[in-house]
Amino acid sequence: MPADVPPSARIDPTVPHAARRYDYWLGGKDNFAADRESGDAVAAAYPAIRTTVIENRRFMQRATRHLAEQAGIRQFLDIGTGIPTSPNMHEVAQLVAPESRVVYVDNDPIVLAHARALLTSAPDGATAYVDADLRDPERILGHPDLRATLDLTSPVALMLVAILHFLPDGDDPYGVTRRLVEALPSGSYLVISHATTDLVPRHIAATAAPSAATSMIDMAFRARDEFASFFDGLDLIPPGISPVTEWRPDDPPEQRTPAAQASMYAAVARKP
């Protein structure tokens, strides 16, 4: 349904939505029966899904903190925000640099309502919410709230965290990502995490795609080479492409979640 339809008219509790399903896996309450049924269908085939979403959020926090502390990034564009779960991206960034500015983008009206109520900035920074779909980069880039919050002539961190696997090849996820990166200046960063079956045992991988279909939300599990293609023309920063649990982890090796229990790739790259 087009994003310019009033939000209240776009809420369909009978159809699962990725943001609300994610909220269910995180133990939230902002979801419907359809979201829970969809989440349970995935969990039946991949019981570690709740661990996966927790580790994915931890990666987002580490990547945000690294970019704010080490790369001096003060602007973040987070597409596929999801229902707010503290600490949110702007809280992480503004803890390092209170002047940080963050634009959140999602296409779920429930996310919109929560974001406007809860995603409040530190006084020295700014946050904004854009009601738009990743598949429409021109709407995102041209949105007046984005333009009022971010200066696209200065470096921006583009955060595509656990969102691109919801775009099948027919939606041109590589072209969408390229268009967004092209709009950002040199010195900007691209942050991606993405579901894969590379890191799990073969018998679990064999059931992942059917379970995703049963969940009524299409997902594209991409292999390492496919994931790497999102970063064509960019400079990966160490450690490069890694399991989401292994990207600059805070915990010592013996305390980390095994990759098979959080089967996602993660990487951060700089635009030359």
Side-chain angles (χ1 to χ4, degrees), residues 64 67 73 75-78 89 93 101-103 150 157 159:
T64 301
L67 291 175
I73 294 296
Q75 301 190 111
F76 297 81
L77 174 55
D78 178 30
M89 184 176 298
R101 309 173 74 82
V102 179
V103 172
L150 302 182
M159 314 290 287

Side-chain angles (χ1 to χ4, degrees), residues 18 21 79-80 107 132-137 140 160-180 193-195 217-222 226 230:
R21 185 176 69 178
I79 304 179
N107 67 348
D133 193 296
L134 172 59
R135 290 166 290 195
D136 190 355
I140 295 170
L160 300 178
V161 178
I163 183 66
L164 285 166
H165 46 237
F166 294 117
L167 269 61
D169 290 346
D171 285 335
D172 192 18
Y174 298 102
V176 166
T177 302
R178 185 167 55 251
R179 174 66 188 98
L180 291 165
S193 61
H194 195 297
I217 298 177
D218 289 336
M219 288 184 65
F221 298 91
R222 294 188 168 95
E226 295 172 304
F230 286 111

Side-chain angles (χ1 to χ4, degrees), residues 24-39:
Y24 170 57
W25 285 331
L26 286 173
K29 298 179 180 179
D30 298 298
N31 48 76
F32 299 118
D35 307 306
R36 296 188 287 273
E37 291 168 5
S38 172

Side-chain angles (χ1 to χ4, degrees), residues 76-82 87-92 102-106 111 115 119-120 126-132:
F76 297 81
L77 174 55
D78 178 30
I79 304 179
T81 298
N88 293 289
M89 184 176 298
H90 74 282
E91 293 171 316
V92 177
V102 179
V103 172
Y104 292 108
V105 180
D106 209 296
V111 175
L119 298 181
T120 55
T127 57
Y129 182 89
V130 172
D131 182 19

Side-chain angles (χ1 to χ4, degrees), residues 174 196-199 222-231 236 239-243 265:
Y174 298 102
T196 184
T197 57
D198 287 359
L199 307 176
R222 294 188 168 95
R224 191 183 191 284
D225 288 349
E226 295 172 304
F227 178 72
S229 293
F230 286 111
F231 299 95
L236 288 165
I241 295 171
S242 66
Y265 282 125

Side-chain angles (χ1 to χ4, degrees), residues 246-257:
E246 298 297 322
W247 196 91
R248 296 178 180 260
D250 294 324
D251 301 327
E254 64 274 11
Q255 295 180 15
R256 290 176 207 158
T257 299

Side-chain angles (χ1 to χ4, degrees), residues 32-58:
F32 299 118
D35 307 306
R36 296 188 287 273
E37 291 168 5
S38 172
D40 289 343
V42 173
Y46 182 52
I49 185 60
R50 289 177 176 83
T51 300
T52 297
V53 298
I54 290 169
E55 291 296 339
N56 181 68
R57 282 197 65 79
R58 293 184 70 193

